Amino acid sequence: GRSALLSVRYSVHTFLDTKRASGAEMTAAADTVISALQAAIGWEVLPGLCANLIGGQQTGYDGRIARVSIAFTIPVPMLGAA
């Protein structure tokens, strides 16, 4: 036919220098990732088409820099022109 369902991938990463960050900056970094996660979960682009969490870059800590990451896809319906 003349239609397709594509998925657009998004990744959200928060990097935090744990030796230099204040308590408020640590809280803001955590809130950023939580807000992105809450925005993605359960959001319906169209009825029945929801954002999906997927594997992304691993969350990690190297002794100084903490990295928290999430990734998700958003379905994008495409219609072709005649």
Side-chain angles (χ1 to χ4, degrees):
R2 293 192 171 127
S3 64
L5 183 61
L6 304 176
S7 291
V8 177
R9 178 186 171 133
Y10 290 92
S11 296
V12 177
H13 310 282
T14 298
F15 294 87
L16 181 69
D17 184 337
T18 59
K19 297 199 186 290
R20 297 180 65 194
S22 68
E25 290 169 329
M26 289 183 187
T27 300
D31 289 346
T32 298
V33 174
I34 291 169
S35 294
L37 186 60
Q38 289 173 334
I41 292 176
W43 175 50
E44 282 189 306
V45 177
L46 292 170
L49 294 178
C50 297
N52 294 301
L53 292 176
I54 59 171
Q57 187 176 13
Q58 285 193 336
T59 296
Y61 180 66
D62 68 2
R64 180 171 180 160
I65 305 296
R67 180 184 66 244
V68 179
S69 303
I70 64 166
F72 55 94
T73 60
I74 298 174
V76 180
M78 305 292 288
L79 299 174

